[in-house]
Coordinates of all heavy atoms in Angstrom, one line a residue:
Q1 N -10.3 19.6 -3.8 CA -11.3 20.0 -4.7 C -12.4 19.0 -4.8 O -13.4 19.2 -5.5 CB -10.7 20.3 -6.0 CG -9.8 21.5 -6.1 CD -9.1 21.7 -7.4 OE1 -9.4 21.0 -8.4 NE2 -8.1 22.6 -7.5
G2 N -12.3 17.8 -4.2 CA -13.3 16.8 -4.2 C -13.1 15.9 -5.5 O -14.0 15.1 -5.7
K3 N -12.1 16.1 -6.2 CA -11.8 15.2 -7.4 C -11.0 14.0 -7.0 O -9.8 13.8 -7.2 CB -11.0 16.0 -8.4 CG -11.8 17.3 -8.9 CD -11.0 18.1 -9.9 CE -11.8 19.3 -10.3 NZ -11.0 20.2 -11.2
L4 N -11.7 13.1 -6.3 CA -11.1 12.0 -5.6 C -10.5 11.0 -6.5 O -9.4 10.4 -6.2 CB -12.0 11.4 -4.5 CG -12.6 12.4 -3.5 CD1 -13.5 11.7 -2.5 CD2 -11.4 13.1 -2.8
V5 N -11.1 10.6 -7.6 CA -10.6 9.6 -8.5 C -9.4 10.1 -9.2 O -8.3 9.4 -9.3 CB -11.7 9.2 -9.5 CG1 -11.1 8.2 -10.6 CG2 -12.8 8.5 -8.8
E6 N -9.4 11.4 -9.6 CA -8.3 12.0 -10.3 C -7.1 12.1 -9.3 O -5.9 11.9 -9.6 CB -8.6 13.4 -10.8 CG -9.5 13.4 -12.0 CD -9.8 14.9 -12.3 OE1 -8.9 15.7 -12.6 OE2 -11.1 15.2 -12.4
S7 N -7.4 12.4 -8.0 CA -6.4 12.5 -7.0 C -5.7 11.2 -6.8 O -4.5 11.1 -6.7 CB -7.1 13.0 -5.7 OG -6.1 13.0 -4.6
L8 N -6.5 10.1 -6.7 CA -6.0 8.8 -6.4 C -5.0 8.4 -7.6 O -3.9 7.9 -7.3 CB -7.1 7.8 -6.3 CG -6.7 6.3 -6.0 CD1 -5.8 6.3 -4.7 CD2 -7.9 5.4 -5.9
N9 N -5.5 8.6 -8.8 CA -4.6 8.3 -9.9 C -3.3 9.1 -9.9 O -2.2 8.6 -10.2 CB -5.3 8.5 -11.2 CG -6.5 7.5 -11.5 OD1 -6.4 6.4 -11.0 ND2 -7.5 7.9 -12.2
T10 N -3.4 10.4 -9.5 CA -2.2 11.2 -9.4 C -1.3 10.8 -8.3 O -0.1 10.7 -8.5 CB -2.6 12.7 -9.3 OG1 -3.5 13.0 -10.4 CG2 -1.4 13.6 -9.4
F11 N -1.9 10.4 -7.2 CA -1.1 9.9 -6.0 C -0.3 8.6 -6.5 O 0.9 8.4 -6.2 CB -1.9 9.5 -4.8 CG -2.1 10.6 -3.9 CD1 -3.4 11.0 -3.4 CD2 -1.1 11.3 -3.3 CE1 -3.6 12.0 -2.5 CE2 -1.3 12.3 -2.4 CZ -2.5 12.6 -2.0
K12 N -1.0 7.7 -7.2 CA -0.4 6.5 -7.7 C 0.8 6.8 -8.6 O 1.8 6.1 -8.6 CB -1.4 5.6 -8.3 CG -2.3 5.0 -7.2 CD -3.3 4.0 -7.8 CE -4.2 3.4 -6.8 NZ -5.2 2.5 -7.3
E13 N 0.6 7.7 -9.5 CA 1.7 8.1 -10.4 C 2.9 8.6 -9.7 O 4.0 8.3 -9.9 CB 1.2 9.1 -11.4 CG 2.1 9.4 -12.5 CD 1.6 10.4 -13.6 OE1 0.4 10.7 -13.5 OE2 2.4 10.9 -14.4
A14 N 2.6 9.5 -8.7 CA 3.7 10.0 -7.8 C 4.4 8.9 -7.1 O 5.6 8.8 -7.0 CB 3.2 11.1 -6.9
L15 N 3.6 8.0 -6.5 CA 4.1 6.9 -5.7 C 5.1 6.0 -6.6 O 6.2 5.7 -6.1 CB 3.0 6.1 -5.2 CG 3.4 4.9 -4.3 CD1 4.2 5.3 -3.1 CD2 2.1 4.1 -3.8
N16 N 4.7 5.8 -7.8 CA 5.5 5.0 -8.7 C 6.9 5.6 -8.9 O 7.9 5.0 -8.9 CB 4.9 4.7 -10.0 CG 3.8 3.6 -9.9 OD1 3.8 2.8 -9.0 ND2 2.8 3.7 -10.7
L17 N 6.9 7.0 -9.1 CA 8.1 7.7 -9.2 C 9.0 7.7 -8.0 O 10.2 7.5 -8.0 CB 7.8 9.1 -9.7 CG 7.4 9.3 -11.1 CD1 7.0 10.8 -11.3 CD2 8.5 8.9 -12.1
F18 N 8.3 7.9 -6.8 CA 9.1 7.8 -5.6 C 9.7 6.4 -5.4 O 10.9 6.3 -4.9 CB 8.2 8.1 -4.4 CG 7.9 9.6 -4.2 CD1 6.6 10.0 -4.1 CD2 8.9 10.5 -4.1 CE1 6.3 11.4 -3.9 CE2 8.6 11.9 -4.0 CZ 7.3 12.3 -3.9
I19 N 9.0 5.4 -5.7 CA 9.6 4.0 -5.6 C 10.8 3.9 -6.6 O 11.8 3.4 -6.2 CB 8.5 3.0 -5.9 CG1 7.5 3.0 -4.7 CG2 9.1 1.6 -6.1 CD1 6.2 2.2 -5.0
E20 N 10.6 4.3 -7.8 CA 11.6 4.3 -8.8 C 12.9 5.0 -8.3 O 14.0 4.6 -8.6 CB 11.1 4.9 -10.1 CG 11.9 4.6 -11.3 CD 11.2 5.1 -12.6 OE1 10.0 4.9 -12.8 OE2 11.8 5.9 -13.3
L21 N 12.7 6.1 -7.7 CA 13.8 7.0 -7.2 C 14.4 6.5 -5.9 O 15.4 7.0 -5.4 CB 13.3 8.4 -7.0 CG 12.9 9.2 -8.2 CD1 12.1 10.4 -7.9 CD2 14.2 9.6 -9.0
N22 N 13.7 5.4 -5.3 CA 14.1 4.9 -4.0 C 14.1 6.0 -2.9 O 15.0 6.1 -2.1 CB 15.5 4.2 -4.0 CG 15.7 3.3 -2.8 OD1 14.8 2.8 -2.3 ND2 17.0 3.2 -2.4
D23 N 13.1 6.9 -3.0 CA 12.9 8.0 -2.1 C 11.9 7.5 -1.1 O 10.7 7.6 -1.2 CB 12.4 9.2 -2.9 CG 12.1 10.5 -2.0 OD1 12.0 10.3 -0.7 OD2 12.0 11.6 -2.5
I24 N 12.4 7.0 0.0 CA 11.6 6.4 1.1 C 10.7 7.4 1.8 O 9.5 7.2 2.0 CB 12.5 5.6 2.1 CG1 13.2 4.5 1.4 CG2 11.6 5.1 3.2 CD1 14.3 3.8 2.2
Y25 N 11.3 8.6 2.0 CA 10.5 9.6 2.7 C 9.3 10.1 1.8 O 8.2 10.3 2.2 CB 11.4 10.8 3.1 CG 10.6 11.9 3.8 CD1 10.2 11.8 5.1 CD2 10.3 13.1 3.1 CE1 9.4 12.8 5.7 CE2 9.5 14.1 3.7 CZ 9.1 13.9 5.0 OH 8.4 14.9 5.6
G26 N 9.7 10.4 0.5 CA 8.6 10.7 -0.5 C 7.5 9.7 -0.6 O 6.4 10.0 -0.7
E27 N 8.0 8.4 -0.6 CA 7.0 7.3 -0.6 C 6.1 7.3 0.6 O 4.9 7.2 0.5 CB 7.9 6.0 -0.7 CG 7.2 4.8 -1.2 CD 8.1 3.6 -1.3 OE1 9.3 3.7 -1.5 OE2 7.5 2.5 -1.2

């Protein structure tokens, strides 16, 4: 949708959860 800053923040939130879960593929 072109909402790049919001997208980046959301990706980072997801990434932190994947790291916390030790989900290497998700990461």
